[in-house]
Amino acid sequence: VQFVAVSTADWENPKVGLVRLEITLKVVNNVPPEDFDVLQFQREENAARARGDAIMDSIYKTWGKWEKNELDNQETIALLTTSLNRLRDLLEEYPNLDQGMWWTQLGGYYMNVHKLLENKLFECELYLGQALLFGDSKVRRTAEQNLEGCYQKRLLETARYLWMDGLEQLLKGEYATAVETLNLASTKYEGWGWGINNGDIWISEAAARILNYGYNTNNGGSSKTKQQHFFAEVEQLMAKAKERYKDATWLGQNGHPWAFEITNALKEYRKLLKQNDKNAVASGLEDFKKQTTVWCVRVVQGTVPFPPKSNPRNSDDAEALKKRLPWAQQNDQ
């Protein structure tokens, strides 16, 4: 028997971190009772395994259809959720089936549902965590690899939520704060986010930097060095975004529409600053502010070309799922 316990009580203390206790022991005379029907037990296990295989086959077919664009996101979510619920029901009945391998399947395929902007990382981590309780090294290794993937997805989620926070700050006119928030969002996963694949975070930060520079430096009335630095920063953000969306032909010949507007607005802003016409600069900035408001609202609403809104989860759902686990029910008893 391999017993493993992990304490996270002082995980933030670099001198302590995670404390792991492992105990390996051998139980002697561990034989089934005389009235235990081994053949019947094996038949039940085989039948349960066959049910699991059938469920996984339905999952593979559903995902394959989604990859071929034969199913939309919502249809795929519904079908996958139904199959995964069936697999969970099976494991609640046979929790030790195949040394925990099926828990890795259950947790792992919830990541596919998460990819479709369904908030399911809790399920991933919960069921992969169950797989870690088993002694089979292959099962534990598979679970750990999938949990690493969960962590990467948590970073993508963080980038998305920070992006939303930054957009809200933009709408409130908190431009300096929005710049900081959006910059932080872009650093979480090199400009990527949960469902964010076209450089949208960098585009948003570019808009925030233009508004921050315009309204917080007296409409651009700063030194030439600062002005050059400002334009260089914004142009660099736009260049990074373009690298992300340049192959997205579905966006149209002008590429990302918000990026296209910002690029044109930046050229006009540079021209007006050179002319030193403060009234024209102020008027142009107000127009850009209105355009930015429209784009921010489109993002929040999940309008194309931006990623759709993610589905919120029931706050009581997590506790209910934990209570359904076989080990939790045993502890309650």
Side-chain angles (χ1 to χ4, degrees), residues 18-285:
L18 298 180
V19 178
R20 181 183 177 98
L21 172 66
E22 294 189 24
I23 300 175
T24 302
L25 55 99
K26 184 177 181 180
V27 179
V28 296
N29 298 324
N30 182 26
V31 294
E34 292 182 1
D35 60 348
F36 182 75
D37 191 336
V38 175
L39 291 177
Q40 177 60 25
F41 172 77
Q42 291 174 344
R43 283 193 290 268
E44 285 190 21
E45 292 275 292
N46 288 335
R49 191 175 298 111
R51 286 168 57 190
D53 288 336
I55 294 168
M56 291 308 302
D57 186 56
S58 69
I59 290 173
Y60 299 147
K61 287 179 179 177
T62 297
W63 193 250
K65 288 182 178 180
W66 177 81
E67 289 181 325
K68 295 176 183 177
N69 294 319
E70 295 176 8
L71 292 173
D72 64 26
N73 282 13
Q74 293 308 310
E75 291 171 326
T76 307
I77 290 169
L79 289 170
L80 287 179
T81 300
T82 298
S83 295
L84 290 169
N85 284 344
R86 288 170 56 207
L87 184 57
R88 181 195 63 200
D89 292 342
L90 175 67
L91 293 182
E92 287 173 356
E93 188 177 354
Y94 298 95
N96 297 314
L97 185 65
D98 291 333
Q99 289 295 306
M101 182 274 289
W102 293 95
W103 290 105
T104 69
Q105 298 278 45
L106 181 60
Y109 272 91
Y110 264 111
M111 281 199 280
N112 291 53
V113 182
H114 179 268
K115 184 177 181 177
L116 304 178
L117 297 183
E118 194 78 0
N119 196 334
K120 294 295 182 181
L121 277 189
F122 176 81
E123 281 85 346
C124 297
E125 294 161 348
L126 179 66
Y127 300 131
L128 290 171
Q130 299 312 299
L132 292 177
L133 298 175
F134 289 86
D136 189 289
S137 60
K138 184 178 179 181
V139 168
R140 292 206 308 268
R141 184 167 62 253
T142 301
E144 288 169 354
Q145 289 170 344
N146 277 310
L147 284 168
E148 177 62 28
C150 284
Y151 176 69
Q152 301 304 316
K153 288 183 178 294
R154 284 291 182 195
L155 292 177
L156 292 171
E157 277 191 346
T158 303
R160 182 187 178 97
Y161 295 140
L162 284 169
W163 182 41
M164 290 293 134
D165 288 346
L167 293 171
E168 287 185 15
Q169 291 158 358
L170 261 180
L171 289 170
K172 293 177 183 177
E174 301 168 358
Y175 303 130
T177 305
V179 168
E180 292 180 3
T181 302
L182 292 168
N183 178 258
L184 180 60
S186 71
T187 62
K188 288 298 174 182
Y189 212 96
E190 299 179 344
W192 303 101
W194 187 24
I196 305 168
N197 304 314
N198 297 308
D200 301 291
I201 299 176
W202 285 321
I203 294 169
S204 306
E205 184 184 344
R209 286 189 180 277
I210 292 172
L211 291 170
N212 183 53
Y213 182 80
Y215 284 107
N216 293 334
T217 56
N218 297 318
N219 287 334
S222 60
S223 70
K224 277 195 172 183
T225 301
K226 288 184 178 179
Q227 195 175 108
Q228 290 171 352
H229 180 68
F230 155 72
F231 279 107
E233 281 186 325
V234 175
E235 287 168 350
Q236 185 181 36
L237 288 168
M238 299 305 293
K240 288 195 291 187
K242 189 173 183 178
E243 276 298 306
R244 289 285 162 84
Y245 67 74
K246 67 180 182 180
D247 296 324
T249 54
W250 60 274
L251 288 170
Q253 62 179 5
N254 293 324
H256 199 298
W258 192 9
F260 182 71
E261 279 198 10
I262 291 175
T263 300
N264 290 336
L266 194 64
K267 291 177 182 176
E268 183 66 17
Y269 191 38
R270 189 194 294 270
K271 185 176 76 174
L272 292 174
L273 286 175
K274 284 183 179 180
Q275 293 173 355
N276 201 26
D277 186 338
K278 291 187 177 181
N279 290 331
V281 169
S283 177
L285 201 59

